[in-house]
Amino acid sequence: MESPLKVLSLEASDDPPQPQQTLSFLDLPVEVLERIFYFLDPDTVYGALLTCKELRDVIKSSKKVLARQLHLLPGENTSIATLTTAELLKVFRTRAAHSLCCASLFCSTVRYDADHPYKLNCRLSMFYRESGTLLVSFHGQRDLHTLNARHGVFDMGSKLQPTHLGLDVEDVKLLKVSFSACQDILALYDRDEGSFHVPTAQATAARVAYSTRNSSALKCSKLVTFHHCSTTLRGSFYTSAVQDTMDIVHPASFHPVGLAGSDLGYVAVSWQNGQNPGLVRITVHHRHEDLIQRTNYDPCPRLMIIETTAMLIEGPRRTFNMRFIRYKPYLFHYVPANPAPMCYSEIPYPPDQPLPVHDLTATNTPIAGIEKMNIDVPFFGHHWSRTVNANKMCTASYLALGINAISHETYIVRPVPLDGDQDSTVPETECQHNIDPEFRLLGIRRCHILAKLDGFPPDAGTVNSLGPVWAVSPRARRIAIASWTSISVWVLDPMPLAEQGLKCIPKIYRPGQIDDLGFVHLDPIRLPSRGVVYQLVFLSEDVFYGITDEGIICWDMSASARGGSEIRHLPTDQYPFGAMCTSA
């Protein structure tokens, strides 16, 4: 007698094979999909909302899912229970876009390069955010080109030519370029071989300043200033007709590493010794007041060379770069691998004495383990009035980036004045009702830590030669930091932090982001890497540009971005009306 199992197996083998049915994610019941989305993070839910119609219908019809996601996003949630499903969807989309959900996936990049036969010398290119002007130097030329950025398209601005060098193009090289505090363009030129003529008066002053007796060891460079012009019909522009030239005499063994200019006529140059890199000198030069008056108001000034006495800034630190405060004679000093100023100098006039260096390190921070903090110039300021004991009082509060001097971790801090533990509060009659973040930094010796930028530095314990390069958006809602080739963006809401400090954190951030010490941890958003980054500039809240070794890069994080990548050419004389798209 045969086994029943064997008979059944034989009968089953006689039937034709049945096709195997597979279920996709969309075949799941709506209730199951809602349950899945309820436990997912906002980035995944927002990405599904943008990429799939079926999933979008499930998300936008579920009040539980939308309410849950809003609790995971920064923002006040006191009125969520009273909102309809359509209103919850609108609030969720707004908050998710503000928090840059899925920005790592949908961020679009555009790389701008020069047309043949030119090649960008990106180390000598700079961006100025307030005017949207890109300063470009083409390799092998002494001329500068200004390009105006408008909605992702560069239009050719001005071609700036130095007219008082008196040499051929082949014999001149461009050493350093910089924007001054008043948007003037500074360009430092030198000869490929030999030196410009060294004036006798400058040689005498340089021998005294550098403590050298050998006049043959001195070299002369030319500093050309192209002044920022503005008219009613033309607006802001630059032209070769409005420029002045100045002789800069220095020892031949020194080369420039930093260049800064003020709107008061001062120019500072930091020099590094090629034979001894640890030896750095800073000279400050002053243009004649009559020249400043003429270049500001006369469209065709007489070109002059001003012979000034160089001033040496003496200090123990090795200065890498500098920056002047606008409208004030203060010079910030930056050291390698640290984007926050370490110290500052007050520029006297007339220049008859060495300049002292004042420390800018904040100490005695309330959190243990952070004894010293280097604070950058505040990126956000808020001024408001209130009534205290029937008296009208004005308060000014600021936010700044602070770097732990030991671990290089980056924080968002609220600077505290030297004479107190609170923000500056004065009677309304004594308040000037303005925000002055740069001048505010001079009186900072303490700070309150509000948030920590997690994930930075990306490689713990490693510091590259450029250091972190950062930029803050115009309304201070985005902070972008580049470390060599790594690009990260953090999102914050500056107004509550500046006005309420630590009191606002439990209201707008979820509990998992708040540290035991009370400050919030902000997660980074990693963006596509496009080469070594030298400079970052925001032109809007969601669009910023970077100058890299691969060209000018634009990152678009807006809600309309779709993750594309393309290459465009910067306009030259052949294409004067805009950037030409060549590939997508």
Side-chain angles (χ1 to χ4, degrees):
M1 182 175 179
E2 297 185 3
S3 172
L5 296 177
K6 185 176 181 181
V7 174
L8 290 176
S9 63
L10 291 175
E11 292 178 354
S13 63
D14 294 336
D15 297 333
Q18 298 293 329
Q20 186 177 6
Q21 296 182 355
T22 59
L23 294 177
S24 67
F25 183 71
L26 298 178
D27 293 328
L28 294 175
V30 175
E31 294 79 5
V32 176
L33 293 176
E34 290 182 356
R35 193 63 176 170
I36 293 174
F37 283 122
Y38 183 85
F39 291 102
L40 292 179
D41 60 280
D43 281 84
T44 306
V45 175
Y46 186 63
L49 191 68
L50 296 178
T51 56
C52 181
K53 181 179 181 301
E54 289 79 4
L55 297 180
R56 181 184 62 190
D57 294 337
V58 174
I59 296 171
K60 73 178 185 179
S61 61
S62 176
K63 189 173 183 178
K64 290 183 179 180
V65 172
L66 295 174
R68 166 69 175 175
Q69 296 302 316
L70 287 178
H71 281 289
L72 298 178
L73 290 173
E76 296 193 23
N77 300 318
T78 56
S79 61
I80 285 181
T82 62
L83 299 179
T84 63
T85 304
E87 292 172 338
L88 288 174
L89 177 63
K90 183 178 180 180
V91 175
F92 171 69
R93 292 175 67 100
T94 302
R95 285 196 193 176
H98 172 264
S99 300
L100 296 182
C101 290
C102 295
S104 300
L105 179 63
F106 294 115
C107 179
S108 301
T109 59
V110 179
R111 181 169 69 88
Y112 296 87
D113 205 348
D115 292 315
H116 183 78
Y118 301 111
K119 181 170 178 59
L120 279 176
N121 189 353
C122 289
R123 295 301 298 269
L124 295 179
S125 301
M126 298 195 70
F127 234 134
Y128 196 86
R129 188 187 76 185
E130 281 72 9
S131 61
T133 300
L134 171 65
L135 180 65
V136 177
S137 168
F138 293 108
H139 182 70
Q141 292 189 336
R142 65 175 179 179
D143 303 331
L144 294 173
H145 300 258
T146 61
L147 303 175
N148 302 316
R150 297 182 179 89
H151 307 292
V153 176
F154 287 102
D155 294 328
M156 181 63 72
S158 305
K159 182 179 181 180
L160 305 179
Q161 298 176 309
T163 58
H164 203 71
L165 300 183
L167 294 172
D168 297 332
V169 177
E170 292 77 10
D171 197 24
V172 177
K173 60 181 178 180
L174 185 59
L175 297 179
K176 200 78 176 175
V177 294
S178 175
F179 281 102
S180 71
C182 57
Q183 302 186 39
D184 291 344
I185 296 176
L186 307 177
L188 189 62
Y189 291 91
D190 201 358
R191 295 186 61 177
D192 284 331
E193 297 180 1
S195 169
F196 292 103
H197 172 69
V198 180
T200 304
Q202 287 276 41
T204 302
R207 286 198 301 269
V208 175
Y210 288 96
S211 302
T212 179
R213 298 180 180 180
N214 188 4
S215 299
S216 61
L218 297 178
K219 194 173 183 178
C220 181
S221 301
K222 300 283 186 179
L223 179 66
V224 181
T225 303
F226 300 97
H227 293 274
H228 178 254
C229 305
S230 179
T231 61
T232 304
L233 296 179
R234 190 174 177 182
S236 299
F237 64 95
Y238 297 92
T239 173
S240 299
V242 185
Q243 63 173 280
D244 63 73
T245 306
M246 182 164 43
D247 284 350
I248 305 293
V249 178
H250 59 92
S253 59
F254 284 78
H255 62 274
V257 293
L259 179 64
S262 75
D263 47 6
L264 302 178
Y266 297 104
V267 175
V269 187
S270 61
W271 307 90
Q272 187 177 37
N273 194 317
Q275 301 174 355
N276 183 10
L279 182 59
V280 174
R281 292 288 183 268
I282 300 176
T283 57
V284 180
H285 311 264
H286 189 272
R287 298 197 301 270
H288 197 277
E289 293 181 356
D290 294 339
L291 176 63
I292 300 175
Q293 293 290 335
R294 283 196 292 268
T295 53
N296 277 350
Y297 299 102
D298 188 356
C300 296
R302 181 168 62 96
L303 299 179
M304 302 175 62
I305 295 179
I306 305 300
E307 297 180 356
T308 61
T309 302
M311 297 185 299
L312 280 178
I313 297 180
E314 299 178 352
R317 295 181 175 88
R318 174 187 173 190
T319 299
F320 180 69
N321 211 341
M322 303 158 297
R323 187 164 69 87
F324 277 98
I325 300 180
R326 190 167 189 182
Y327 305 129
K328 294 180 177 65
Y330 294 101
L331 178 67
F332 287 147
H333 302 271
Y334 296 80
V335 299
N338 194 340
M342 296 288 294
C343 49
Y344 74 96
S345 298
E346 183 176 359
I347 309 300
Y349 185 77
D352 55 357
Q353 57 184 350
L355 301 181
V357 176
H358 305 285
D359 192 45
L360 277 176
T361 303
T363 58
N364 300 325
T365 52
I367 299 178
I370 310 178
E371 288 77 14
K372 292 185 178 181
M373 182 81 73
N374 301 130
I375 303 177
D376 195 16
V377 176
F379 61 84
F380 181 80
H382 179 48
H383 174 275
W384 72 95
S385 301
R386 55 181 175 171
T387 302
V388 180
N389 297 329
N391 297 322
K392 287 286 188 179
M393 306 294 290
C394 291
T395 303
S397 180
Y398 300 85
L399 297 179
L401 290 176
I403 297 181
N404 189 332
I406 299 176
S407 64
H408 299 285
E409 294 177 331
T410 305
Y411 300 85
I412 297 176
V413 301
R414 189 160 66 163
V416 178
L418 182 62
D419 54 355
D421 292 335
Q422 303 297 327
D423 298 314
S424 298
T425 301
V426 296
E428 189 177 38
T429 56
E430 301 177 6
C431 183
Q432 298 181 356
H433 304 288
N434 64 348
I435 300 295
D436 194 355
E438 292 184 325
F439 186 67
R440 168 78 172 186
L441 184 60
L442 302 181
I444 292 176
R445 291 299 180 271
R446 293 169 56 88
C447 64
H448 291 306
I449 297 179
L450 302 178
K452 181 179 183 297
L453 304 185
D454 283 346
F456 189 85
D459 300 324
T462 61
V463 178
N464 60 70
S465 58
L466 293 178
V469 179
W470 63 39
V472 182
S473 63
R475 292 189 294 172
R477 294 181 178 273
R478 283 93 169 89
I479 299 175
I481 302 182
S483 179
W484 203 248
T485 60
S486 174
I487 301 287
S488 302
V489 177
W490 289 264
V491 180
L492 71 152
D493 194 348
M495 186 66 73
L497 289 175
E499 186 170 330
Q500 303 177 30
L502 294 174
K503 297 179 181 179
C504 78
I505 291 179
K507 300 179 182 179
I508 63 176
Y509 292 100
R510 64 181 185 268
Q513 289 184 290
I514 303 175
D515 190 84
D516 295 336
L517 298 174
F519 60 85
V520 67
H521 287 253
L522 301 179
D523 297 326
I525 300 171
R526 306 295 185 186
L527 297 185
S529 175
R530 293 294 185 270
V532 179
V533 180
Y534 304 128
Q535 185 187 9
L536 292 176
V537 174
F538 272 94
L539 292 189
S540 66
E541 290 300 305
D542 296 324
V543 178
F544 67 96
Y545 288 79
I547 295 179
T548 73
D549 60 345
E550 294 186 3
I552 312 301
I553 309 297
C554 173
W555 285 271
D556 184 1
M557 305 176 295
S558 62
S560 60
R562 289 296 178 263
S565 178
E566 59 180 317
I567 300 176
R568 297 180 183 178
H569 287 304
L570 291 174
T572 61
D573 295 337
Q574 299 177 355
Y575 308 105
F577 300 111
M580 307 296 291
C581 180
T582 57
S583 62

